[in-house]
Amino acid sequence: MACKPPTPLHHTAATRAPAQAGPLRVAARLKGTLAALLCVGALVASPVAWGQAGAGGGADGTTISGAATYAEVQRLIANREWVLARQRLEHWLQSHDSDPQARLLLGVVLAGQGDSAGAQRLYEQLTQAYPELPEPYNNLAVLHAAAGRLPEARAALEWALRFHPDYAVAHRNLGDVYAQLALGHWQRALALQPDTPGLGARAAALRRLLHPGAAADAPQQ
């Protein structure tokens, strides 16, 4: 599949905290796409806020907080330093193996390294262990959409919104999935009934919206 990006589907790298912990904010998005998540693979990150998610010892004997670990990993992710980010997370998880934020970040790193199967397994484990967190469902939907599994992506996003109806990222991504599904159905309808009034124009308009570069790259008639 060519790496021609339609509208972006946003990949989050921060979770809402479980009930016993402080709040987390959505902190990063993956500039992937519905058609080819890993074609671009760039992340834009901002600081995570979870206070003291736990503490671990640094190599020099200093105490490292969860927030400091997340901030460091997000910086590495933003710079696409996947190997270092993975090493830092795996070290942290040795003593904080149930930390959902670190596990979510590890999923982002695995996806950035091209290990979508490993990222998917992590996200699925998080949805089972923390079904109230919408971010793992969202990131799972990103992977499904990147692989062309739009019905599965829609289902994952609907689960995210079932737990958090005000989760804006999931609403945006679900809108993108619906648009992609609509285009597929309209194209199928046109193949079956090419003379359907107005449908060709609607399909063309939606295609331009989802694939903004396609019209410029297409050969002129």
Side-chain angles (χ1 to χ4, degrees):
M1 179 181 294
C3 296
K4 180 70 69 177
T7 53
L9 198 64
H10 299 90
H11 188 127
T12 56
T15 65
R16 285 167 173 77
Q20 68 271 22
L24 289 171
R25 298 190 181 98
V26 175
R29 78 179 194 181
L30 180 63
K31 289 185 178 177
T33 66
L34 285 169
L37 169 69
L38 298 177
C39 287
V40 179
L43 281 151
V44 179
S46 59
V48 178
W50 194 7
Q52 297 291 323
D60 58 356
T62 58
T63 298
I64 302 173
S65 71
T69 298
Y70 308 147
E72 178 189 356
V73 170
Q74 297 243 9
R75 178 185 59 79
L76 292 170
I77 287 173
N79 293 327
R80 297 195 289 271
E81 297 182 56
W82 307 116
V83 173
L84 288 176
R86 182 171 180 172
Q87 290 174 349
R88 187 69 188 89
L89 286 167
E90 289 176 343
H91 177 74
W92 174 263
L93 285 166
Q94 287 178 4
S95 54
H96 304 82
D97 59 350
S98 62
D99 181 348
Q101 173 68 84
R103 291 164 68 187
L104 188 80
L105 284 167
L106 182 57
V108 174
V109 170
L110 291 175
Q113 290 183 309
D115 185 6
S116 58
Q120 181 175 334
R121 283 193 299 272
L122 259 180
Y123 296 148
E124 288 173 344
Q125 291 167 5
L126 282 169
T127 63
Q128 294 167 9
Y130 303 95
E132 74 279 8
L133 296 178
E135 289 83 3
Y137 292 106
N138 178 78
N139 288 5
L140 189 58
V142 171
L143 295 178
H144 283 314
R149 300 186 295 266
L150 294 178
E152 289 88 344
R154 178 184 61 192
L157 291 166
E158 287 173 346
W159 271 106
L161 291 170
R162 187 171 304 179
F163 289 107
H164 285 273
D166 296 330
Y167 184 29
V169 174
H171 279 291
R172 290 162 62 188
N173 285 343
L174 187 57
D176 290 338
V177 169
Y178 281 146
Q180 206 59 346
L181 287 167
L183 180 59
H185 284 293
W186 286 353
Q187 289 174 332
R188 178 60 176 161
L190 283 169
L192 296 170
Q193 291 184 320
D195 57 347
T196 303
L199 186 55
R202 282 192 288 167
L206 184 53
R207 191 181 304 109
R208 286 193 298 272
L209 180 65
L210 292 172
H211 306 270
D217 294 341
Q220 299 298 315
Q221 297 295 326

